[in-house]
Amino acid sequence: MQQQSLVEYGPRRVIITITAVVCALLEIIDTTIVNVALPDMRGSLGATLNEVSWVITAYSLANVIVVPMTSWLSQQFGRRNYFAASVILFTVCSFLCGNATNIWELVVFRFLQGLGGGALLVTSQTIITESWPTEKRATAQAIYTLGVIVGPTLGPPLGGFIIDNYSWPYIFYINIPVGIVATLLTLQYVRSPKYDEKRSASEVDWLGIALLAIGIGSMQFVLEKGQEEDWFSSSLIVILSVVAVFGIFFFIWRQWTYKYPVVELRVLRNGNLRIGVMLSFIMGFGLFGSTFIIPLYTQSLLGWTAQQSGMLQLPSTIFVAVMMPVVAILIQKGVPQKYLIAIGMSVFFIYSFLSYKVIGPDTSGADFFWVLIIRGFGLGLLSVPVSTMSLSTLKGKEIGQGAAFSGMMRQLGGAFGVALISTFVTRQTDYHRSTLVDHLDVNNPDVMNRIAQTAASMHAKGADIATAQQKAYALMDAGVMKQATILSYMDVFLWVGIMFLVCVPFVLLFIKTSKNKVSMAEAAH
């Protein structure tokens, strides 16, 4: 009965929900807002491209290490204390990031900010879930998921606006007032459940924590830096891949055998959570992958600013917001979640296929509008049922443990998505380039006429004949490269769509309808 007291009503529930969602939003926006500011950071801190990329890597490394431990840390220090401390750490580090005087200072502060941020993401979900009564849990998940979906989209336009009008430290400073208010509201309103006794220092699984940090941290590093280091041709990537495999293997073994595990793996015996965790990974792959590829395409090939490419995705995000309450009502009325998830995945395939069809060298924002609205429709149908189903049959402290697994797998799905997509784009661009070059035969009169016309145009503008000829070939080469890159982006959309489509029959076969219907009533809160 202890847990029942955590259900809130009236203004308290509204305040707690808003606080938790804002904290989750802060964390997610900070993963994408920095991308826009990297060129400015490079200039003002005198960093190389490789060094400045560590600003993103350090944050995601800290995130993925701390997320699985959030449930245990909440138990050790009390949820309210841990959540408030995380918000404070996040806010203080935001100030320190803005005041960093060199790149490695900024990287260290970003890592510490990530340690605070990881807790905001997962603990927010637990707080929201436990503050709402069972029959309204779908609504609670809709509110939380809205933050998760909106965050990655809001980052680039907000970052672009700040960079255009102010300077890069302000992308960190905007967290400070929100963090202060969130801390005060947390201390005043959030309550800590008492599920288990706090462990003494001698009972804490220090080896488990070390194995988790080494295993998951190494894997995240490999995913973040693999493409940059040319994957397994780099000895560092090979060593860290081996460390990741053994680290994760021994971590799992340790958690199964130790009396007081840091991460309770036994919670994965719950069938709904197990399927939900897999779907969270796939959703993270699709969500972060598509959020990554669209700005890359619009900025590198169409020459848009970060703010323009961010604004392109805004209507889609607003449509997700409209979908959330509708989907929550459908779930509460007993519509089987597996059908909503299957329709959502099918719609995401349609979005990917239409993107495959629509992108080209002259694609406009208007061409993308309805395609991205379809994406919003698919994500709306997909995300709320996955979150609700994952936690629906969990009770008590299992909710926090389940939320930690879902959060970690969504993060890892995103990391795998970005790593695989960036590698795939590079490889496919090389492949398409060589295929296109094969068709540019020097004996082909069309090719030679094009070169001659371009060279003549250059010569007319004052270039000597040799330089004009050289520039004509360079222009043709640039044209080939652009076409090859567009073809590789088309391939990405097609294959991501196919991945979602392939999942549909598995969703229909393996998610039990009857169990889910019972779960909303059974997860007696």
Side-chain angles (χ1 to χ4, degrees), residues 135-204:
E135 64 275 9
K136 292 191 174 177
R137 206 182 282 181
T139 307
Q141 292 304 326
I143 294 165
Y144 170 77
T145 309
L146 182 59
V148 173
I149 303 284
V150 168
T153 317
L154 277 184
L158 183 60
F161 175 79
I162 291 168
I163 294 298
D164 291 346
N165 296 284
Y166 303 98
S167 58
W168 69 262
Y170 283 90
I171 65 173
F172 297 113
Y173 292 155
I174 57 164
N175 297 332
I176 296 169
V178 183
I180 291 168
V181 174
T183 304
L184 295 173
L185 291 174
T186 300
L187 292 170
Q188 181 66 34
Y189 290 99
V190 173
R191 289 188 285 174
S192 298
K194 185 84 173 162
Y195 294 132
D196 224 330
E197 290 303 312
K198 180 181 175 180
R199 300 287 164 217
S200 65
S202 60
E203 290 177 324
V204 171

Side-chain angles (χ1 to χ4, degrees), residues 458-478:
M458 295 285 180
H459 185 52
K461 288 175 183 172
D464 61 74
I465 292 171
T467 307
Q469 191 89 354
Q470 205 173 354
K471 284 186 174 178
Y473 278 113
L475 274 173
M476 180 165 277
D477 183 58

Side-chain angles (χ1 to χ4, degrees), residues 2-9 13 16-17 71 79 123-134 136-137 140-141 190-195 391 394-403 525:
Q2 175 66 41
Q3 191 188 355
Q4 199 148 4
S5 65
L6 292 173
V7 176
E8 302 283 1
Y9 296 93
R13 183 163 76 197
I16 288 170
T17 304
S71 176
R79 183 182 296 158
T123 317
S124 292
Q125 186 175 15
T126 312
I127 289 168
I128 292 171
T129 304
E130 295 197 356
S131 297
W132 288 66
T134 312
K136 292 191 174 177
R137 206 182 282 181
Q141 292 304 326
V190 173
R191 289 188 285 174
S192 298
K194 185 84 173 162
Y195 294 132
L391 308 183
L394 301 178
K395 301 184 183 81
K397 65 178 179 180
E398 291 177 343
I399 293 171
Q401 295 160 353
H525 218 26

Side-chain angles (χ1 to χ4, degrees), residues 333-346:
K333 286 190 179 297
V335 175
Q337 289 162 44
K338 72 174 183 179
Y339 295 133
L340 294 174
I341 294 169
I343 294 167
M345 287 188 152
S346 304

Side-chain angles (χ1 to χ4, degrees), residues 20-21 23-25 27-28 63-72 74 79 82-83 86 114-130 141 144 148 391 397-411:
V21 168
C23 288
L25 254 178
E27 200 282 332
I28 296 171
N63 258 202
V64 86
I65 290 167
V66 83
V67 162
M69 294 196 289
T70 48
S71 176
W72 174 77
S74 292
R79 183 182 296 158
Y82 175 54
F83 193 64
S86 298
L115 290 178
L120 302 189
L121 191 60
V122 176
T123 317
S124 292
Q125 186 175 15
T126 312
I127 289 168
I128 292 171
T129 304
E130 295 197 356
Q141 292 304 326
Y144 170 77
V148 173
L391 308 183
K397 65 178 179 180
E398 291 177 343
I399 293 171
Q401 295 160 353
F405 273 112
S406 295
M408 180 181 77
M409 291 306 281
R410 189 170 50 244
Q411 295 273 85

Side-chain angles (χ1 to χ4, degrees), residues 276-454:
V277 159
M278 293 177 200
L279 291 175
S280 291
F281 181 88
I282 293 162
M283 208 171 73
F285 193 106
L287 172 62
F288 287 100
S290 60
T291 308
F292 161 75
I293 198 75
I294 292 171
L296 200 64
Y297 162 69
T298 53
Q299 287 173 44
S300 63
L301 286 176
L302 303 183
W304 294 16
T305 65
Q307 199 173 345
Q308 286 173 320
S309 65
M311 293 302 287
L312 174 71
Q313 298 188 63
L314 213 53
S316 158
T317 308
I318 293 165
F319 195 73
V320 174
V322 173
M323 285 292 298
M324 292 293 177
V326 176
V327 175
I329 290 164
L330 288 173
I331 292 170
Q332 277 162 214
K333 286 190 179 297
V335 175
Q337 289 162 44
K338 72 174 183 179
Y339 295 133
L340 294 174
I341 294 169
I343 294 167
M345 287 188 152
S346 304
V347 170
F348 204 90
F349 165 74
I350 293 167
Y351 147 73
S352 298
F353 185 72
L354 290 175
S355 298
Y356 166 77
K357 287 288 188 186
V358 90
I359 65 171
D362 306 307
T363 306
S364 69
D367 297 327
F368 259 121
F369 181 81
W370 287 109
V371 175
L372 288 169
I373 290 291
I374 290 169
R375 174 179 180 259
F377 181 64
L379 280 175
L381 283 172
L382 190 57
S383 46
V384 182
V386 168
S387 288
T388 311
M389 184 197 71
S390 299
L391 308 183
S392 61
T393 48
L394 301 178
K395 301 184 183 81
K397 65 178 179 180
E398 291 177 343
I399 293 171
Q401 295 160 353
F405 273 112
S406 295
M408 180 181 77
M409 291 306 281
R410 189 170 50 244
Q411 295 273 85
L412 286 176
F416 269 95
V418 170
L420 292 178
I421 285 170
S422 57
T423 304
F424 184 76
V425 164
T426 306
R427 304 280 160 91
Q428 287 296 101
T429 301
D430 291 345
Y431 166 73
H432 286 303
R433 179 184 157 75
S434 65
T435 309
L436 290 169
V437 167
D438 285 347
H439 291 87
L440 295 177
D441 186 357
V442 288
N443 299 316
N444 186 327
D446 291 337
V447 174
M448 296 319 294
N449 283 341
R450 177 74 179 270
I451 293 290
Q453 284 170 4
T454 310

Side-chain angles (χ1 to χ4, degrees), residues 11-32:
R12 278 188 69 93
R13 183 163 76 197
V14 173
I15 291 167
I16 288 170
T17 304
I18 291 171
T19 305
V21 168
V22 167
C23 288
L25 254 178
L26 269 185
E27 200 282 332
I28 296 171
I29 286 174
D30 256 58
T31 54
T32 54

